[in-house]
Amino acid sequence: MIDTPPDEASRPLDARTLQQAAATFGMLAATNRLQIMWLLSQGESDVGTIADKVGGTVATVSQHLAKLKKAGMVSARREGRRRVYVLDDPHIAILVDQVVAHQRELEARSGTFADRLPGRKGA
């Protein structure tokens, strides 16, 4: 967990910080991108391997990786004819790990988060 100085912890966030944080969550809100980030948090990989693991096409995964790269979440390097991707931000790795751990814990206790939403079975 990252420690926030006590004087900053009680202050509201400024608009720019909120917008950037929301944009980060937005990038991870797409299930394919979250899956890609989860895989990259386990270690670097090339686009073909990622596509095989997520069950997508190389073209689609490449588009997602381009967005993640533009957002500064991943970087890439050439290895011969392959482009190898790596999760470039340790904060994002922690965030992805925590949200997956949280979801697994919720599912083990009481079903999915979506099941507890109003109007859903089990809500």
Side-chain angles (χ1 to χ4, degrees), residues 34 98-116 120:
L34 183 58
Q98 287 295 303
V99 78
V100 169
H102 172 73
Q103 186 58 41
R104 287 177 172 166
E105 184 178 311
L106 287 177
E107 289 171 2
R109 278 189 301 176
S110 59
T112 67
F113 174 76
D115 290 339
R116 293 188 308 279
R120 297 291 299 253

Side-chain angles (χ1 to χ4, degrees), residues 79-119:
E79 283 188 1
R81 298 179 70 188
R82 297 181 332 140
R83 185 171 289 263
V84 177
Y85 289 86
V86 61
L87 198 152
D88 209 27
D89 186 337
H91 293 100
I92 299 298
I94 292 167
L95 182 62
V96 168
D97 181 62
Q98 287 295 303
V99 78
V100 169
H102 172 73
Q103 186 58 41
R104 287 177 172 166
E105 184 178 311
L106 287 177
E107 289 171 2
R109 278 189 301 176
S110 59
T112 67
F113 174 76
D115 290 339
R116 293 188 308 279
L117 293 175

Side-chain angles (χ1 to χ4, degrees), residues 35-46:
Q35 177 74 290
I36 290 166
M37 295 303 284
W38 171 255
L39 292 170
L40 290 176
S41 74
Q42 310 306 304
E44 61 186 33
S45 190
D46 65 274

Side-chain angles (χ1 to χ4, degrees), residues 4-61:
T4 301
D7 60 322
E8 291 183 30
S10 62
R11 287 194 320 220
L13 296 172
D14 61 88
R16 184 177 186 282
T17 299
L18 283 170
Q19 289 172 342
Q20 293 298 321
T24 296
F25 282 113
M27 287 300 292
L28 298 175
T31 55
N32 286 337
R33 285 195 294 270
L34 183 58
Q35 177 74 290
I36 290 166
M37 295 303 284
W38 171 255
L39 292 170
L40 290 176
S41 74
Q42 310 306 304
E44 61 186 33
S45 190
D46 65 274
V47 67
T49 301
I50 295 169
D52 286 344
K53 288 181 178 180
V54 302
T57 65
V58 169
T60 300
V61 170

